[in-house]
Amino acid sequence: MDLSAISPTLLVASLMVAATPILLAAIGELVVEKSGVLNLGVEGMMITGAFSGFAAAVLTGSPMVGFLCAAIGGAALSVIFAILTQYFLSNQVATGLALTLFGLGLSAMLGQSYVGIKPPVSAKLDLPLISDIPVIGPILFSHDFTVYAALTLVTGVWFFLKYTRGGLILRAVGESHDAAHALGYKVVRVRILAIMFGGGCAGLGGAALSLVRVPQWTEGMTAGAGWIALAIVVFASWKPARVLLGAYLFGGVAVLQLNLQAAGVSIPVEYLSMSPYLITIIVLVVMSTNRAKSALNAPAALGRVFHASR
Amino acid sequence: MLRLEKRPNPSQAWGYLAPILAVITTMIGGGVMFALLGKDPFEAIRTIFYDPLFSEFAWYYRPQLLIKGAPLILIAIGLSMGFRAGIWNIGAEGQYIIGAICGAGAALSVYPLDSVFIFPVMILFGAIGGFAWAMIPAILKTKFGTNEILVSLMLVYVAEQLLASMSLGLMKNPEGFGFPGSRNLQQYASAHNAELWTGTAIHMGVVFALISVIFAYIMLARHQMGFHIRLTGESPKAAKFAGVNPNKLVIYCLGFSGALAGLAGMFEVAGPSGQISIDFNVGYGFTAIIVAFLGRLNPFGIMLAGLLMALTYIGGEIAQSSLGLPSAAIQALQGMLLFFLLALDMLTNFKIKLAKAEVRI
């Protein structure tokens, strides 16, 4: 065992990459939940994005086209959820589960011929001199596009929710759909747009996994990342900045356990691989012990079906 | 434009019709999906839904229906209790794995002892294992208010890692020439979950599935706990005024479904599967969610839905070998079925009315 082989700088740099898929999915889900919709299909949309992004990137040779198609793929799947929950007024928990099961099946079915292929490499930011600065260089200036895209998206969502009229309407819809409806806002339209945004983000997150983090296509490769993204939204008590914190914390755990595996710690590999899931549970418990405080920020209409009787 | 009007009471006729229509629309939707994959849609749908029952080799496939249906029914019966009351255990896959590990562990620890008590003890351990695994989300929910959906699901991944660790380490067959996986329980007579009558494929798990259906029916129709479950599902507020203890309900629903999932895992590992191995679990815990909904959360409905879902599994295997259909196609088809069912469910609760055009200024 040689723990000194683990470099803190590289650890931070790689945890940013490791956290990006979950960060993207979580920030999308945050917007969905802020509009009062609980979409448990994140895992399904993520894996669909992972596959469609991978396939598009391999077919066109361009990672950028891949990311675009991933977002479209994730959003397309989320449209099914949107139609079912908003027009057919179905139970959101059940529909979200169906979305996950369907997404996992569909991607595994379509992805069979892509197993074992290497995707085109996504370009990394490489500024002369700046990227070579010790410590800061590898951490801040030498990542691929997704890391920066995720950070931009988090900032954008934070700004949108806090400082724009659109954000205010979205939050109003999520707090009380009846009041928002009475004021003349199109509750269903706002929610459908939010759901599609969430789907697009989850798709991007999936592509960040299949094109950058792994990069490879395997069946069921998201391995619960979508569910962890859902947990992070709860952990963040629906605040964008804390989603960032939660995702990086989680990324840190994931990278650390991989490093410990590589360093040959005497804990069996399987138990180290459990750690991200166990830590997610612990974090959820810690968050929920302070029930009054964390529930304060939860959208009041979360998961409730909206039916305009008048 | 069309307008939805809420029915005063859910329509009973649509309650029965929706699942049937959902299956038919899934056949159509699945046909379109297979056509897009370049397969003959009629051939594919016939292979999946008809061949296992009535083809030349149906004598081989029909008993398989019980083998695949029993775990689905056992798990779905447990899940349906919680689903009725709005308690979402979606980690049945994990409880299934832990039940199998505990059941097999009980047998392997006394190998090669020969005794009639081994199998009953295994059943007990399987149930306790699943129960204990489900108690984690249950206790966290009642003590801290932690979301049971996320915790139970996270524990599936933990259980999968534990399964890998068991089949590579503690439970590895010492005479297995280094291959991963435990001793085969089919070759250990005292622990083998064998057919009760030769050629019927009816093993102890099938019997337990049947008992669970009847038990759940009596529970829901006659017992106070069943009444509390139904009351909480239909009107949480009324349940609160009636003095239903929500924590007790969480413990009961999660514990019951965990124990049944654990039993399903134990019967599988001691019978059809035979050993603890890395790829022991095949997703019954997740498919059972679809079974529970397709069966309208009704015990007898679940029995039929479980058999239908078993049919698609078997049909899928046939289609895989005869038509080259990807194995995951069945998973997509099952997901599609749940979509259609949820969409058609609207008709149970709402009436569709033609609305007059609204006034526009």
Side-chain angles (χ1 to χ4, degrees):
Chain A
M1 182 167 71
D2 185 16
L3 287 180
S4 61
I6 303 174
S7 135
T9 313
L10 279 179
L11 198 69
V12 175
S14 52
L15 86 81
M16 289 175 78
V17 179
T20 300
I22 304 160
L23 179 58
L24 281 164
I27 198 69
E29 178 65 15
L30 179 125
V31 172
V32 180
E33 292 193 10
K34 269 288 180 193
S35 81
V37 178
L38 179 66
N39 184 355
L40 291 182
V42 183
E43 178 87 358
M45 302 185 296
M46 236 180 142
I47 191 100
T48 306
F51 166 72
S52 51
F54 187 87
V58 167
L59 291 176
T60 61
S62 152
M64 273 308 169
V65 176
F67 286 118
L68 187 71
C69 287
I72 294 171
L77 198 68
S78 75
V79 169
I80 302 178
F81 178 85
I83 292 173
L84 281 175
T85 55
Q86 300 308 307
Y87 290 123
F88 287 83
L89 308 177
S90 64
N91 178 311
Q92 293 179 4
V93 174
T95 315
L97 287 175
L99 202 66
T100 291
L101 295 173
F102 181 70
L104 286 170
L106 187 74
S107 60
M109 179 176 82
L110 298 174
Q112 274 195 330
S113 50
Y114 288 91
V115 176
I117 301 179
K118 273 213 172 305
V121 181
S122 315
K124 286 192 172 175
L125 185 69
D126 186 21
L127 303 171
L129 294 177
I130 301 178
S131 295
D132 297 329
I133 303 172
V135 185
I136 301 173
I139 292 178
L140 290 181
F141 300 111
S142 59
H143 290 297
D144 64 280
F145 144 83
T146 52
V147 174
Y148 304 110
L151 290 172
T152 319
L153 213 56
V154 172
T155 322
V157 166
W158 166 76
F159 184 82
F160 172 76
L161 288 176
K162 197 162 174 144
Y163 293 109
T164 67
R165 189 178 163 73
L168 188 63
I169 296 173
L170 184 107
R171 283 188 289 141
V173 166
E175 291 301 334
S176 166
H177 45 221
D178 292 322
H181 176 70
L183 284 171
Y185 297 127
K186 304 285 184 200
V187 173
V188 170
R189 191 180 300 168
V190 169
R191 287 190 168 164
I192 288 178
L193 288 175
I195 291 167
M196 286 176 67
F197 176 79
C201 286
L204 266 184
L209 204 62
S210 66
L211 290 176
V212 180
R213 170 112 165 86
V214 177
Q216 203 181 359
W217 166 255
T218 45
E219 210 174 284
M221 66 182 298
T222 42
W227 294 103
I228 290 168
L230 276 161
I232 283 174
V233 177
V234 178
F235 162 78
S237 31
W238 295 269
K239 288 177 187 154
R242 287 185 55 176
V243 165
L244 184 69
L245 178 75
Y248 278 6
L249 205 74
F250 182 83
V253 174
V255 167
L256 191 66
Q257 65 94 359
L258 281 178
N259 273 313
L260 288 176
Q261 282 186 23
V265 176
S266 54
I267 308 168
V269 176
E270 292 84 15
Y271 292 93
L272 282 172
S273 308
M274 275 177 206
S275 58
Y277 307 110
L278 289 175
I279 284 173
T280 307
I281 294 176
I282 293 169
V283 163
L284 280 173
V285 171
V286 170
M287 282 314 293
S288 46
T289 43
N290 202 342
R291 214 178 301 185
K293 207 174 167 192
S294 63
L296 209 61
N297 219 10
L302 186 60
R304 281 185 21 220
V305 173
F306 171 66
H307 175 233
S309 47
R310 268 179 285 270
Chain B
M1 268 301 284
L2 296 174
R3 195 167 56 89
L4 292 177
E5 190 176 289
K6 192 149 175 78
R7 292 178 196 271
N9 286 309
S11 151
Q12 212 162 23
W14 274 109
Y16 290 114
L17 263 176
I20 298 167
L21 269 182
V23 173
I24 295 170
T25 39
T26 306
M27 286 185 187
I28 300 168
V32 172
M33 185 171 80
F34 297 141
L36 291 175
L37 279 175
K39 313 280 179 208
D40 179 357
F42 298 102
E43 181 87 11
I45 294 299
R46 204 204 67 213
T47 311
I48 294 171
F49 288 97
Y50 182 84
D51 279 6
L53 289 175
F54 304 111
S55 73
E56 202 184 331
F57 301 105
W59 56 270
Y60 172 76
Y61 297 123
R62 275 183 214 146
Q64 291 277 321
L65 217 54
L66 296 177
I67 290 181
K68 295 218 165 25
L72 288 174
I73 294 169
L74 261 176
I75 302 171
I77 287 284
L79 295 181
S80 69
M81 293 273 180
F83 288 180
R84 269 174 183 266
I87 297 158
W88 301 92
N89 173 14
I90 56 170
E93 186 82 358
Q95 294 138 21
Y96 173 84
I97 293 173
I98 299 298
I101 291 177
C102 290
L108 292 170
S109 62
V110 294
Y111 180 88
L113 183 78
D114 202 21
S115 160
V116 286
F117 294 112
I118 291 179
F119 195 62
V121 168
M122 285 168 72
I123 294 178
L124 195 67
F125 269 72
I128 291 174
F131 175 82
W133 205 245
M135 271 305 112
I136 301 172
I139 290 171
L140 293 180
K141 168 107 181 166
T142 52
K143 287 267 176 259
F144 307 109
T146 314
N147 182 325
E148 81 280 15
I149 300 178
L150 292 171
V151 174
S152 63
L153 207 235
M154 286 295 133
L155 287 171
V156 174
Y157 296 98
V158 177
E160 278 179 351
Q161 294 297 334
L162 205 64
L163 178 72
S165 153
M166 285 298 155
S167 49
L168 295 170
L170 198 61
M171 289 191 183
K172 196 163 110 174
N173 185 356
E175 291 149 25
F177 307 104
F179 284 106
S182 71
R183 280 182 204 279
N184 197 324
L185 295 174
Q186 289 172 352
Q187 287 147 19
Y188 178 17
S190 298
H192 185 197
N193 175 21
E195 280 179 334
L196 296 173
W197 297 280
T198 320
T200 57
I202 296 177
H203 59 68
M204 220 43 193
V206 179
V207 176
F208 267 73
L210 207 61
I211 294 172
S212 75
V213 168
I214 296 163
F215 177 83
Y217 174 76
I218 295 170
M219 186 84 201
L220 285 171
R222 291 278 175 267
H223 195 272
Q224 195 190 14
M225 183 56 94
F227 174 69
H228 284 173
I229 288 172
R230 284 188 292 137
L231 188 62
T232 308
E234 275 161 35
S235 169
K237 232 180 207 159
K240 210 169 147 191
F241 286 126
V244 176
N245 181 349
N247 284 350
K248 216 169 118 187
L249 217 58
V250 168
I251 298 276
Y252 173 79
C253 287
L254 277 166
F256 182 63
S257 57
L260 286 191
L263 276 178
M266 180 267 142
F267 287 124
E268 188 72 16
V269 79
S273 156
Q275 61 172 168
I276 292 284
S277 59
I278 296 177
D279 49 4
F280 163 73
N281 60 317
V282 290
Y284 284 148
F286 293 116
T287 309
I289 297 173
I290 304 179
V291 171
F293 280 113
L294 189 63
R296 316 256 68 175
L297 307 181
N298 172 308
F300 293 104
I302 286 171
M303 193 166 72
L304 294 177
L307 291 174
L308 179 78
M309 216 50 86
L311 183 73
T312 62
Y313 268 123
I314 300 160
E317 278 170 20
I318 304 173
Q320 201 182 339
S321 58
S322 68
L323 300 173
L325 209 63
S327 60
I330 291 306
Q331 211 187 334
L333 195 75
Q334 291 170 346
M336 199 186 267
L337 178 61
L338 188 48
F339 280 144
F340 283 122
L341 183 72
L342 290 167
L344 286 164
D345 240 4
M346 181 190 65
L347 298 169
T348 336
N349 294 317
F350 292 92
K351 262 189 259 184
I352 298 183
K353 287 252 170 110
L354 219 56
K356 284 181 191 157
E358 284 173 36
V359 179
R360 285 182 187 276
I361 303 166

